[in-house]
């Protein structure tokens, strides 16, 4: 998700902008830029990669005196991470930064190109600045020209625009994407969230959708569809870390709640009405590929296991999955018609990276599914599909797992359509379910409160089994890993059908079984597996859309029309279950003992 900062006043602007962008790093980005107008002169700097690169580029520049300025960190949705695609985008005499998606940008771009406008970037954002300058030709009042511009925009945007035509004014508008205005005695600040202005501004106003306006020295005017409106400032918090948590107790909790929103970003530009599209993959990418081998670690291994079911079911392509640390030393059989897929949140996991190098040495084509652009695994792969989950700070992975699974699901449908092994009717069914996924990921207050209450019963016992069938078996593994990681209680994920082959010997009232019982995937089978456990006095927490009388605790899920919707909804339940138990045990949810966010050593 992109980050925006703005500043108007007498202080040195570059440092204010760069420090502000640094505070937004946790949102994830692949390029950054700033623009300043001071003494009627425009200054603009952009850099791809880390913010350090932008600091390096601007180290000899220092602004002086009164001026206006804007900055941006970009998380690529339209167009690759390049300097040309980095914000701020330039017109003839104006600059703009933007967070969100302009849904009608193609129409606007064609209109502007017909007027002779040349576009430098592949982004939707660039249409804003050219449209403003087109309007300014016939509407000399810069604010009225800006107002006409945003009235043409459809979709989500938080945008700041500065122009030589009004070198003392910052124009702003908010629709769908977050933005706030900060106030100190003389100066005015803008930001996507409050951390960039903590310690600088004293008061803040959080813009509402449909609000826009302009800021000058000592004057901010706010408008909405009803005309000019007043607004009330509020005191700004002074605690940066709590601000980055956006009011949640832990980054992990915040990231669980973010899953619904980031999932929409993961799908942008990829899920179309009748088909899936990956701009990262050439049309011939899968030519000559007859099977897929996925290699990963930990949670990423679990999304890989889920993908194997989907690739074979939807794309009719053989798929096997390897734990990277095992794969590296097993002297694997590697065939050139196998696509080697690595999955990694960090893109720096040593075992996965080394496995990738082995596959490359053997001449296999490689694809990575990763959350960090320009990471080692991304750079080493022939192609990479970013999950766009934003930076994941909780060591226990949540939104990265969810978005990995979504990308792999999309890829399975994409491959099924490419290989013509998936009918357009079935593809449409999958796509409709994908489009409902953000809703299935919404965390209901009642659900969270219920899991908080029932978690008190699961703080002891001699262990947990998480059981499921088909794609719910990898989900059971993932639920067990989440619980282990942050509660330090022992938990195992198991195929439900396997319990009678030994593990059921452990069944007694002190053995907790979390049973994933989806209606749309082998319900009767899993039900009888759970009944076997209950008959032996195991304590059952059933998660299902179907009421289950034998459950000691029961979480009723709402989505029961597609296995993947049930998968994602139950995933949220297991994540919150682990979180609430960990909180009751007083553990450090975000930084569990013995663990690192990225295991860059063997
Ligand atoms: C997940 O909750 C864990 N933190 C861990 O298993 C992690 O998934 C694993 O280390 C792989 O990391 P990666 O996805 O960055 O490669």
């Amino acid at each position: 998700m992109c980050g925006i900062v703005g500043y108007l006043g007498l202080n040195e602007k570059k440092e204010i902008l760069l420090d502000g962008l640094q505070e937004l790093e946790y949102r994830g980005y692949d390029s950054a830029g700033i623009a300043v107008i001071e003494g009627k002169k425009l200054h603009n700097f952009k850099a791809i990669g880390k913010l350090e690169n932008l600091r390096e580029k601007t180290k000899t520049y220092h602004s002086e005196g009164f001026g206006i300025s804007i900055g941006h960190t970009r998380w690529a949705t339209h167009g690759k991470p390049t300097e040309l695609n980095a914000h701020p985008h330039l017109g003839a005499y104006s600059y703009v930064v933007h967070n969100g998606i302009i849904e009608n940008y193609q129409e606007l771009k064609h209109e502007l190109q017909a007027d002779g406008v040349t576009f430098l970037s592949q982004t939707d954002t660039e249409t804003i600045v050219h449209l403003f300058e087109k309007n300014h030709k016939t509407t000399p009042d810069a604010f009225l020209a800006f107002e006409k511009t945003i009235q043409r925009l459809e979709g989500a945007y938080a945008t700041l625009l500065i122009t030589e035509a009004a070198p003392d004014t910052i124009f702003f508008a908010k629709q769908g994407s977050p933005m706030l205005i900060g106030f100190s005695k003389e100066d005015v600040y803008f930001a996507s969230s409050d951390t960039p202005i903590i310690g600088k501004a004293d008061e803040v106003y959080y813009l509402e959708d449909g609000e826009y306006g302009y800021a000058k020295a000592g004057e901010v005017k706010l408008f909405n569809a009803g005309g000019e409106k007043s607004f009330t400032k509020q005191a700004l918090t002074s605690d940066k870390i709590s601000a980055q948590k956006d009011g949640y107790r832990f980054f992990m909790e915040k990231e669980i709640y973010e899953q619904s929103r980031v999932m929409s970003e993961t799908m942008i530009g990829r899920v179309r009405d009748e088909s899936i599209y990956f701009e990262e993959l050439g049309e011939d990418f899968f030519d000559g590929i007859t099977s897929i081998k996925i290699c990963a670690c930990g949670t990423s291994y679990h999304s890989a296991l889920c993908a194997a079911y989907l690739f074979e079911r939807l794309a009719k392509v053989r798929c096997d999955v390897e734990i990277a640390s095992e794969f590296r030393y097993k002297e694997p059989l590697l065939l050139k018609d196998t696509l080697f897929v690595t999955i990694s949140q960090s893109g720096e996991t040593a075992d996965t990276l080394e496995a990738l190098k082995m596959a490359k040495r053997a001449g296999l084509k490689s694809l990575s599914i990763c959350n960090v652009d320009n990471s080692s695994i991304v750079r080493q792969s022939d192609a990479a599909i970013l999950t766009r989950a934003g930076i994941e700070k909780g060591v226990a992975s949540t939104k990265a797992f969810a978005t990995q699974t979504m990308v792999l699901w999309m890829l399975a449908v994409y491959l099924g359509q490419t290989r013509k092994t998936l009918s357009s009717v079935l593809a449409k069914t999958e796509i409709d379910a994908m489009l409902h996924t953000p809703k299935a990921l919404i965390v209901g207050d009642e659900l969270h409160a219920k899991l908080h209450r029932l978690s008190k019963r699961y703080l002891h016992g001699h262990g947990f089994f998480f059981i499921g069938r088909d794609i719910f078996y990898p989900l059971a593994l993932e639920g067990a890993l989440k619980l282990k990681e942050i509660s330090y209680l022992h938990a195992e994920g198991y195929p439900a059908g396997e319990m009678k082959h030994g593990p059921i010997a452990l069944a007694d009232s002190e053995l907790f079984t979390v049973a994933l019982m989806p209606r749309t995937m082998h319900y009767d089978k899993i039900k009888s597996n759970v009944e076997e456990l209950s008959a032996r006095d195991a304590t059952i927490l059933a998660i299902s859309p179907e009421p289950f009388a034998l459950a000691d605790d029961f979480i009723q899920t709402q989505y029961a029309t597609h296995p993947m919707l049930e998968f994602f909804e139950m995933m949220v339940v297991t994540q919150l279950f682990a979180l609430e138990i960990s909180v009751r045990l007083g553990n450090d949810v975000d930084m569990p003992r013995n663990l690192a966010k990225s295991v860059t050593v063997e």
Side-chain angles (χ1 to χ4, degrees):
M1 193 167 72
C2 307
I4 286 177
V5 292
Y7 170 70
L8 173 153
L10 287 164
N11 293 333
E12 204 288 312
K13 294 148 201 57
K14 177 193 74 175
E15 289 307 325
I16 289 174
L17 295 177
L18 292 179
D19 290 349
L21 293 177
Q22 195 92 41
E23 290 300 332
L24 294 173
E25 268 195 318
Y26 68 92
R27 302 160 77 93
Y29 67 98
D30 45 58
S31 53
I34 63 172
V36 181
I37 297 180
E38 52 177 339
K40 293 188 183 295
K41 266 176 67 43
L42 277 172
H43 304 270
N44 170 227
F45 305 90
K46 298 183 184 183
I48 59 173
K50 295 292 178 203
L51 214 44
E52 275 321 299
N53 302 341
L54 186 59
R55 281 190 188 280
E56 182 60 28
K57 270 198 167 182
T58 58
K59 65 184 177 186
T60 58
Y61 167 70
H62 299 284
S63 67
E64 289 165 8
F66 175 82
I68 53 178
S69 59
I70 56 178
H72 185 271
T73 50
R74 178 171 183 256
W75 184 266
T77 53
H78 289 77
K80 296 187 181 310
T82 63
E83 277 201 24
L84 277 181
N85 286 335
H87 303 208
H89 286 289
L90 171 64
Y93 52 90
S94 314
Y95 278 103
V96 71
V97 293
H98 159 241
N99 179 21
I101 298 282
I102 306 297
E103 288 169 3
N104 62 329
Y105 86 95
Q106 294 283 21
E107 167 207 332
L108 296 172
K109 187 168 182 174
H110 293 147
E111 175 189 314
L112 291 159
Q113 286 172 322
D115 292 345
V117 173
T118 303
F119 280 74
L120 297 178
S121 80
Q122 303 162 294
T123 67
D124 53 339
T125 303
E126 195 180 348
T127 55
I128 300 174
V129 70
H130 294 310
L131 186 59
F132 165 76
E133 293 186 352
K134 173 181 179 178
N135 289 332
H136 190 234
K137 286 194 182 99
T138 53
T139 309
D141 179 309
F143 172 64
L144 295 179
F146 177 73
E147 187 176 47
K148 281 174 76 174
T149 302
I150 55 170
Q151 284 164 352
R152 293 283 312 276
L153 304 182
E154 294 169 16
Y157 51 85
T159 186
L160 297 176
L161 184 141
I162 58 176
T163 173
E164 278 181 334
D168 61 349
T169 306
I170 295 181
F171 300 103
F172 60 89
K174 187 254 192 257
Q175 178 62 41
S177 300
M179 187 155 69
L180 52 83
I181 310 176
F183 302 84
S184 67
K185 273 193 291 299
E186 307 82 35
D187 300 342
V188 179
Y189 299 84
F190 293 89
S192 305
S193 62
D194 39 23
T195 43
I197 63 172
I198 289 174
K200 299 184 177 77
D202 311 314
E203 295 180 294
V204 66
Y205 173 70
Y206 295 92
L207 286 162
E208 301 286 341
D209 282 352
E211 292 183 340
Y212 62 97
Y214 62 86
K216 292 172 179 278
E219 178 192 21
V220 173
K221 291 288 186 191
L222 187 67
F223 300 81
N224 63 12
E228 185 173 353
K229 64 171 290 204
S230 62
F231 60 94
T232 307
K233 303 170 190 171
Q234 62 188 80
L236 178 64
T237 173
S238 59
D239 174 355
K240 279 191 182 178
I241 293 297
S242 67
Q244 275 195 351
K245 290 177 190 165
D246 278 346
Y248 293 98
R249 294 169 294 175
F250 306 101
F251 283 109
M252 180 183 176
E253 185 176 45
K254 175 184 170 217
E255 288 151 9
I256 291 170
Y257 277 75
E258 276 184 335
Q259 290 178 136
S260 177
R261 176 181 55 74
V262 299
M263 192 60 84
S264 301
E265 304 209 358
T266 301
M267 291 191 280
I268 284 175
R270 294 166 172 170
V271 178
R272 297 176 167 177
D273 288 346
E274 311 285 333
S275 65
I276 299 296
Y277 171 71
F278 284 106
E279 71 171 338
E280 300 88 344
L281 303 179
E283 282 184 12
D284 59 353
F285 185 76
F286 284 98
D287 288 2
I289 296 296
T290 60
S291 69
I292 293 173
K293 184 178 284 290
I294 311 179
C295 202
C297 302
T299 286
S300 298
Y301 170 68
H302 298 153
S303 63
L305 286 174
C306 177
Y309 289 93
L310 301 175
F311 279 125
E312 297 202 354
R313 181 171 290 139
L314 300 174
K316 305 294 181 240
V317 65
R318 214 196 77 235
C319 178
D320 52 39
V321 182
E322 307 259 7
I323 288 177
S325 55
E326 285 298 305
F327 174 81
R328 288 180 64 190
Y329 302 103
K330 63 180 273 191
E331 297 166 35
L333 174 62
L334 293 173
L335 305 174
K336 285 199 171 52
D337 60 357
T338 299
L339 174 66
F340 193 81
V341 178
T342 49
I343 301 175
S344 177
Q345 189 286 131
S346 63
E348 301 300 344
T349 300
D351 283 323
T352 310
L353 179 58
E354 290 309 314
L356 172 58
K357 290 175 182 173
M358 280 173 65
K360 289 181 61 147
R361 286 193 293 270
L364 274 66
K365 182 181 280 190
S366 58
L367 167 67
S368 63
I369 312 291
C370 189
N371 195 40
V372 179
D373 201 1
N374 300 316
S375 59
S376 301
I377 287 174
V378 165
R379 288 199 307 272
Q380 291 273 347
S381 299
D382 294 317
I385 298 176
L386 297 180
T387 47
R388 301 177 188 164
I391 285 193
E392 187 176 68
K393 299 195 86 162
V395 167
S397 185
T398 50
K399 61 178 184 173
F401 172 71
T403 53
Q404 285 167 0
T405 305
M406 175 54 80
V407 167
L408 290 157
W409 181 18
M410 291 191 284
L411 196 57
V413 173
Y414 175 86
L415 196 46
Q417 290 179 300
T418 307
R419 294 161 54 94
K420 300 195 184 346
T421 51
L422 184 67
S423 71
S424 51
V425 170
L426 285 178
K428 189 79 174 76
T429 304
E430 299 301 307
I431 288 171
D432 287 347
M434 289 172 186
L435 295 172
H436 279 88
T437 300
K439 285 196 184 72
L441 287 167
I442 290 172
V443 181
D445 293 341
E446 281 175 34
L447 169 69
H448 198 160
K450 179 165 185 180
L451 284 163
H452 167 69
R453 287 195 306 276
L454 70 78
S455 61
K456 59 179 169 292
R457 298 184 200 155
Y458 294 91
L459 305 181
H460 45 79
H462 60 67
F464 292 76
F465 274 111
F466 286 68
I467 62 172
R469 282 180 171 264
D470 202 278
I471 56 173
F472 295 86
Y473 163 45
L475 185 57
L477 290 172
E478 175 59 12
L481 178 60
K482 286 290 89 62
L483 186 63
K484 276 184 279 207
E485 282 191 286
I486 63 177
S487 73
Y488 316 147
L489 298 174
H490 182 70
E492 279 185 72
Y494 235 88
E498 270 294 284
M499 292 305 286
K500 53 186 172 299
H501 298 289
I504 202 165
L506 290 175
D508 61 27
S509 60
E510 290 298 294
L511 176 85
F512 302 137
T513 298
V514 178
L516 306 178
M517 305 173 71
R519 179 192 298 163
T520 54
M521 186 66 76
H522 312 310
Y523 179 75
D524 293 340
K525 296 285 182 200
I526 184 80
K527 182 168 179 284
S528 58
N529 294 149
V530 181
E531 283 163 351
E532 290 157 12
L533 281 158
S534 177
R536 290 157 179 83
D537 205 25
T539 300
I540 308 287
L541 165 56
I543 304 173
S544 179
E546 299 291 338
F548 182 61
L550 295 177
D552 302 281
D553 277 313
F554 177 63
I555 297 287
Q556 180 141 28
T557 48
Q558 309 307 315
Y559 285 82
T561 54
H562 190 286
M564 289 305 290
L565 291 179
E566 295 203 82
F567 178 98
F568 283 114
E569 187 177 8
M570 291 186 185
M571 175 195 73
V572 172
V573 174
T574 59
Q575 292 168 342
L576 293 172
F577 180 63
L579 172 77
E580 289 303 326
I581 288 175
S582 177
V583 171
R584 282 187 183 276
L585 293 171
N587 295 347
D588 183 339
V589 170
D590 285 331
M591 298 286 287
R593 69 186 186 193
N594 310 334
L595 298 182
K597 184 59 187 168
S598 176
V599 183
T600 56
V601 294
E602 280 211 27

